[in-house]
Each structure stands twice: as structure tokens, then as C-alpha cells.
């Protein structure tokens, strides 16, 4: 399956499709998860540093990264693009309200998991998980994608 994620401005207007051609930020480095752990912990990542806005993030080989950066009103990206594959997992915190903004795409392929709540483990009441895209890009989901809407 292929899904296209549409970005909306604060007024609720969809950005024009021509935004897909907008320039991406300067490429940073590729940062790969080398251990299970928190996104905010340097020990989770090769090089010992948390991904920067221009970085490409790779979560693979069975690594599980818990996204724990706190929710704020700043739409600045936490990463340029992300690849989750080969049993890699990105799981949003169930205890901290979070916000992940991207300047590029998220690709979830080959048994990758992107978990913003599941029927068995929903994001609890009083905790939010926000995902934002600053530009139009395609998110590729090839595998398990559960989108769970919880009633207030």
C-alpha cells in the first residue's frame, strides 16, 4: 500500500501539490539506532548523539526506539527523513506527550513498525502523540500500519 500524507497550515488549508518540489534542508548525516532506547538518549544512536534536523534516521535490525521528545508548539523538524525496516520499531511514549516533526519522508518497509498507539497499547488519556510534516512528501508503508482513533 502507498499512502500520501497531506500537510495543512494552521488555518486548515492544504498546501498545494507543487510544494512537493520545495527544497529540502541541507543533508546531514545518517544516524542509525545501535541499541534499544529513548530517542533523546545519545546511547541509542551511533556516534552517541541524538539526530539533528538535517539528519536521516535509520531504525533497523530489531532495534526499538521510543520517541520521547516532549510536545511543544515548535514545528522545527527533529529529522529530515526516516527509514524503519528489518524489524526496527519506532514507538511513541505512553507516558509523555510527544511531537515529531519531519522535513522529509518516513519510509516503513520490510517488517518495520511505526507505533503511535495500537488497540492493545493505545496512547492513554491525557497523553498525546503528534506527527507533523513540514513539506509534502510521500510516506511509504509496506507492512503493518494500524491507525487507532481513540474516542475522547
Amino acid at each position: 500500500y502507498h499512502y500520501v500524507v497531506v500537510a495543512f497550515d494552521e488555518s486548515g488549508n492544504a498546501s498545494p501539490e507543487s510544494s512537493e518540489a520545495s527544497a529540502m534542508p541541507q543533508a546531514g548525516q545518517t544516524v542509525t539506532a545501535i541499541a534499544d532506547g529513548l530517542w533523546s538518549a545519545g546511547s541509542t544512536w551511533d556516534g552517541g548523539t541524538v539526530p539533528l534536523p538535517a539528519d536521516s534516521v535509520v531504525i533497523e535490525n530489531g532495534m526499538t526506539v521510543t520517541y520521547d521528545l516532549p510536545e511543544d508548539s515548535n514545528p522545527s523538524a527533529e529529522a529530515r527523513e526516516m527509514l524503519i525496516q528489518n524489524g526496527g520499531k519506532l514507538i511513541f511514549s505512553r507516558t509523555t506527550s510527544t511531537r515529531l516533526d519531519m522535513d522529509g519522508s518516513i519510509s516503513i518497509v520490510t517488517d518495520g513498525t511505526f507505533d503511535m498507539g495500537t488497540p492493545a497499547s493505545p496512547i492513554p488519556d491525557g497523553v498525546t502523540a503528534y506527527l507533523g510534516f513540514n513539506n509534502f512528501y510521500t510516506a511509504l508503508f509496506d507492512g503493518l500500519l494500524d491507525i487507532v482513533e481513540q474516542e475522547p
Side-chain angles (χ1 to χ4, degrees):
Y1 298 96
H2 289 84
Y3 296 86
V4 176
V5 178
V6 178
F8 294 89
D9 65 19
E10 291 179 6
S11 300
N13 300 312
S15 297
E17 288 187 353
S18 61
S19 294
E20 284 187 322
S22 64
M24 295 223 3
Q26 280 289 47
Q29 61 184 355
T30 297
V31 180
T32 302
I34 58 167
D36 294 342
L38 299 175
W39 181 285
S40 64
S43 59
T44 302
W45 308 103
D46 64 345
T49 59
V50 175
L52 298 173
D55 291 342
S56 297
V57 173
V58 178
I59 304 171
E60 61 184 352
N61 300 325
M63 296 297 144
T64 298
V65 176
T66 300
Y67 189 78
D68 66 331
L69 294 184
E71 179 181 32
D72 60 21
S73 60
N74 183 349
S76 296
E78 279 69 49
R80 183 171 61 96
E81 60 189 6
M82 188 181 321
L83 173 63
I84 305 170
Q85 66 179 357
N86 298 330
K89 297 178 184 176
L90 180 67
I91 299 174
F92 280 68
S93 174
R94 301 306 197 263
T95 59
T96 301
S97 290
T98 57
R99 178 178 179 141
L100 171 61
D101 288 287
M102 302 290 298
D103 276 345
S105 64
I106 298 176
S107 297
I108 305 163
V109 297
T110 319
D111 297 323
T113 301
F114 184 86
D115 176 349
M116 286 184 80
T118 67
S121 179
I123 301 295
D125 288 339
V127 176
T128 59
Y130 175 90
L131 173 63
F133 290 87
N134 294 330
N135 296 304
F136 271 133
Y137 290 97
T138 300
L140 170 64
F141 300 98
D142 180 14
L144 179 61
L145 173 64
D146 285 331
I147 299 176
V148 178
E149 182 177 344
Q150 187 170 347
E151 295 293 325

